[in-house]
Amino acid sequence: MNGQLLQEKYRANKPTYGTAAQIGLSANSPDGYYAMTVTLPSPANGTTYSITATGQNGQNQDTGCTAITVNQAGTFSPADCAKR
């Protein structure tokens, strides 16, 4: 969710959403259990993004939730993983 806030803050000052480096999103979650990546359409159009947290350091053993993605609309995939 921190990535979503960073994206909205970035876009408030720019015409598009930004890359992980542009928005200041760390490559790993604060606890180190997820690797974070940002995906933008090519070319970046300013209206969509997705942020994926991929499990690591033991979190990748969480069956069905090894990777969790959220988009600009706040939609999580897989949806059940957002509730954990």
Side-chain angles (χ1 to χ4, degrees):
M1 296 188 72
N2 181 51
Q4 290 176 288
L5 294 173
L6 291 170
Q7 279 291 21
E8 295 307 326
K9 181 178 176 182
Y10 182 86
R11 186 158 186 232
N13 297 297
K14 308 281 185 194
T16 63
Y17 289 113
T19 65
Q22 289 171 323
I23 67 171
L25 184 66
S26 176
N28 293 299
S29 63
D31 57 13
Y33 290 115
Y34 292 94
M36 310 300 289
T37 56
V38 172
T39 304
L40 301 170
S42 183
N45 62 12
T47 61
T48 63
Y49 70 84
S50 65
I51 299 173
T52 302
T54 304
Q56 61 184 14
N57 298 325
Q59 191 62 37
N60 53 334
Q61 301 302 314
D62 186 4
T63 305
C65 293
T66 56
I68 305 167
T69 300
V70 64
N71 66 19
Q72 74 288 338
T75 304
F76 285 86
S77 178
D80 289 342
C81 296
K83 299 174 187 174
R84 293 184 185 189

